Amino acid sequence: MHDATLPQMQAQEHGFTWTLVAKGEEQTNRLARHLASFVGPGDLVTLSGGLGVGKTTFARGLIRAILRDPEIEVPSPTFTLLQAYEHDLFAIIHADLFRLQSRAELEALGWEEMSQDALVLVEWPERAGVDTATERLDVTFALPPAAAASEERIVTFTGSGAWQARLRLAKAAFDLLEARGWSEAKRDFIQGDASTRAYERLSRPGESAILMISPPRPDGPPLKDGRPYSAIAKLAERVDAFVAMAQGLAELGYSTPKILGRDLDDGVLIIEDLGHEGVIDAKGPIAERYGLATALLADLHRRDLPQALPIEASREHEIPRYDLEALLVEVDLLVDWYVPHVLRSPVPASARADFARHWRAALVPIVTGSRTWTLRDFHSPNLHWLPQREGLAKLGLIDFQDTVIGHPAYDLASLLQDARVDIPPELELKLLAAYTHARKLADPTFDLASFAAAYATLGAQRATKILGIFTRLDRRDGKPQYLAHIPRLKKYLMRNLTHPVLHDLKLWYETNLPGVFGAVK
């Protein structure tokens, strides 16, 4: 399969266009499987071209890839007009409008209701005016000139509206897989995290890798001084941060995925597959593995670390500071999302001002205290167990692109107060003691009392932030599964608030969230 030598009208007023030649049905199916990584609910994909050029073949391959069932029956809807399929997250509608004469006929079939929030694949879209939609991906199939009997098809993708950027990303991923020899690999979607990044496991005889799709982060609505939340909270804007931190951590002797292929501008990486084995099992945390994770943090935090890391020649990543503004905008997620959700009313202005004042007072010692690399998501979903390696390298690290220069207590609280896993209090105390002992051995001036205060403060800050994030994932993004972790987060928060340095914050939570947190003892 290769890009066609035909003119490609890329980024013209009608959209972004990508043209290539598929040599037979298998390559057409491979294109469909590739597109499956970039479609979702609410998308319209129109399939254009004459009779017998491959529209139904492409639709069938796409549906099977999304449903993860290569054997499912996907008949042509020529006679039924519409065929529906159920997916875990959204419905798929496959339509063939060849026999229709007008939009009115389509509407009479219940089109609007059926297609709402579904992925819609339409053959012969021009028959009912569907080809006039401004937000769509059109896939056109044509026979090569003077080759009527050929199995080759010229396939042209044209993205209109928001699909222009998505099609560029799809092409970038396709090109990278081709360039690195992974184009024919078996591809399996991996359950993603709470972010918008997407991952697939690539498999071929004897090896596997991970395709990471992480396009540049778009700016959200302005929140303060014209800046979006992501900029204030110091979230990584580009995949550069992942590459820089992967290389920087590896140079310290830790296990991070090797970068096997990269397209930094579009945000596509092929990275080493660290496997399936983690640090928890059906019973919960595996003490030995959590112990090694704690030891890794103690080892990291004893080092003098740079604030900028090279990515490649003439390109580097500046690690941002986890400043007071970033920490405060994160705790605001509680009053923006969690409190209105549980109390069914907004936080009064006076109470919100007190909340900000108390948190500011609690966090000032944090931002003026010890500084190190704060990986920020150092918890069980992002830790892999690599038994074939030695020492600290047994622990594989991922999801560190949002690393900041912050207080060392943050990552320890992230690990030992895991939002998704119950950490027995006795294990937390044991590992806290092991960490502080290792830090004291490396630096006799290590202040245990101030670290304990920072640990409680950042544990409370993190629990407060995640209560807001998980509520937002439910309310805004339609991901209610995160609400199951709310009781655990409340327990962590209540326990942290018992530290004397958080006395004023403890009173605020008790006063303003009665019946939600109860009396914090």
Side-chain angles (χ1 to χ4, degrees), residues 347-356 508 512:
V347 179
S350 59
R352 185 163 186 144
D354 288 341
F355 179 81
W508 187 94
N512 292 282

Side-chain angles (χ1 to χ4, degrees), residues 304-317:
D304 184 18
L305 300 167
Q307 296 190 27
L309 291 169
I311 303 169
E312 56 188 23
S314 72
R315 192 164 182 162
E316 71 172 17
H317 170 63

Side-chain angles (χ1 to χ4, degrees), residues 193-499:
D193 51 19
S195 74
T196 57
R197 291 181 294 274
Y199 303 89
E200 294 180 49
R201 177 165 278 108
L202 309 172
S203 304
R204 61 188 183 188
E207 60 181 327
S208 64
I210 302 296
L211 174 66
M212 176 176 171
I213 301 171
S214 182
R217 183 190 297 273
D219 285 342
L223 188 63
K224 181 180 179 182
D225 301 329
R227 294 173 298 156
Y229 173 87
S230 59
I232 300 170
K234 307 298 190 295
L235 301 179
E237 302 288 340
R238 304 179 64 86
V239 77
D240 299 47
F242 182 93
V243 174
M245 292 309 307
Q247 295 171 167
L249 289 163
E251 288 177 3
L252 299 177
Y254 309 138
S255 292
T256 59
K258 293 182 177 67
I259 309 300
L260 307 177
R262 65 180 77 182
D263 181 334
L264 297 178
D265 292 334
D266 287 299
V268 183
L269 300 176
I270 300 174
I271 62 177
E272 179 186 8
D273 184 2
L274 296 184
H276 303 269
E277 195 169 357
V279 297
I280 62 173
D281 59 18
K283 298 178 182 178
I286 301 173
E288 173 200 359
R289 301 178 185 184
Y290 266 72
L292 190 70
T294 303
L296 187 149
L297 288 179
D299 182 73
L300 178 67
H301 297 163
R302 69 175 175 80
R303 297 171 181 266
D304 184 18
L305 300 167
Q307 296 190 27
L309 291 169
I311 303 169
E312 56 188 23
S314 72
R315 192 164 182 162
E316 71 172 17
H317 170 63
E318 184 79 26
I319 305 175
R321 291 180 67 85
Y322 208 7
D323 57 20
L324 187 61
E325 185 182 40
L327 290 160
L328 287 172
V329 79
E330 290 181 333
V331 295
D332 277 348
L333 292 169
L334 182 100
V335 291
D336 288 338
W337 290 95
Y338 178 75
V339 177
H341 170 60
V342 296
L343 295 187
R344 299 292 188 266
S345 63
V347 179
S350 59
R352 185 163 186 144
D354 288 341
F355 179 81
R357 178 167 54 85
H358 293 322
W359 267 115
R360 179 178 293 273
L363 290 168
V364 165
I366 300 298
V367 297
T368 57
S370 301
R371 315 295 287 178
T372 187
W373 288 357
T374 299
L375 306 187
R376 218 171 184 180
D377 287 298
F378 192 86
H379 53 176
S380 60
N382 300 327
L383 303 176
H384 292 256
W385 188 249
L386 309 171
Q388 72 279 14
R389 302 187 186 182
E390 298 295 330
L392 296 176
K394 284 180 178 287
L395 195 72
L397 311 179
I398 62 170
D399 205 8
F400 36 66
Q401 60 278 337
D402 290 327
T403 293
V404 287
I405 304 295
H407 197 285
Y410 186 93
D411 278 345
L412 192 64
S414 176
L415 174 70
L416 302 183
Q417 297 184 14
D418 194 315
R420 295 168 175 80
V421 180
D422 287 323
I423 308 296
E426 59 274 15
L427 178 61
E428 180 184 4
L429 289 174
K430 178 182 177 181
L431 295 177
L432 266 172
Y435 174 90
T436 55
H437 178 69
R439 291 296 310 279
K440 192 75 173 177
L441 283 177
D443 178 9
T445 66
F446 176 77
D447 187 338
L448 177 58
S450 65
F451 184 86
Y455 179 83
T457 301
L458 289 170
Q461 189 271 353
R462 181 172 169 81
T464 295
K465 169 180 68 174
I466 299 176
L467 282 168
I469 289 173
F470 283 1
T471 305
R472 184 177 65 186
L473 285 167
D474 168 54
R475 307 296 291 178
R476 187 191 71 183
D477 302 332
K479 298 179 179 180
Q481 64 269 29
Y482 288 93
L483 296 181
H485 304 301
I486 295 294
R488 181 182 303 110
L489 288 162
K490 288 168 58 178
K491 289 179 182 178
Y492 290 147
L493 177 56
M494 289 189 285
R495 196 167 75 226
N496 287 313
L497 290 173
T498 62
H499 195 286

Side-chain angles (χ1 to χ4, degrees), residues 69-258:
D69 185 352
E71 303 300 327
I72 189 172
E73 185 68 21
V74 182
S76 170
T78 300
F79 298 103
T80 59
L81 298 181
L82 302 175
Q83 182 73 41
Y85 301 87
E86 289 300 321
H87 180 254
D88 291 342
L89 300 178
F90 53 87
I92 304 172
I93 304 297
H94 181 197
D96 184 325
L97 308 185
F98 183 75
R99 296 191 292 130
L100 297 189
Q101 301 299 319
S102 69
R103 181 78 183 196
E105 289 182 276
L106 181 61
E107 300 298 347
L109 297 173
W111 176 255
E112 289 295 334
E113 182 179 354
M114 289 184 66
S115 61
Q116 186 174 14
D117 297 324
L119 168 62
V120 180
L121 313 177
V122 181
E123 300 183 39
W124 302 98
E126 67 277 9
R127 297 286 185 168
V130 178
D131 61 332
T132 62
T134 57
E135 294 281 341
R136 67 188 174 102
L137 174 67
D138 183 66
V139 190
T140 300
F141 300 85
L143 294 171
S150 172
E151 292 187 359
E152 290 187 348
R153 296 292 185 268
I154 299 172
V155 185
T156 301
F157 296 89
T158 304
S160 303
W163 259 108
Q164 294 186 56
R166 288 164 69 186
L167 183 57
R168 284 189 180 93
L169 183 62
K171 181 180 186 301
F174 184 89
D175 289 345
L176 185 63
L177 291 167
E178 287 270 319
R180 298 298 176 181
W182 288 94
S183 61
E184 298 186 20
K186 181 178 181 293
R187 297 169 62 171
D188 295 297
F189 296 103
I190 298 175
Q191 181 66 42
D193 51 19
S195 74
T196 57
R197 291 181 294 274
Y199 303 89
E200 294 180 49
R201 177 165 278 108
L202 309 172
S203 304
R204 61 188 183 188
E207 60 181 327
S208 64
I210 302 296
L211 174 66
M212 176 176 171
I213 301 171
S214 182
R217 183 190 297 273
D219 285 342
L223 188 63
K224 181 180 179 182
D225 301 329
R227 294 173 298 156
Y229 173 87
S230 59
I232 300 170
K234 307 298 190 295
L235 301 179
E237 302 288 340
R238 304 179 64 86
V239 77
D240 299 47
F242 182 93
V243 174
M245 292 309 307
Q247 295 171 167
L249 289 163
E251 288 177 3
L252 299 177
Y254 309 138
S255 292
T256 59
K258 293 182 177 67

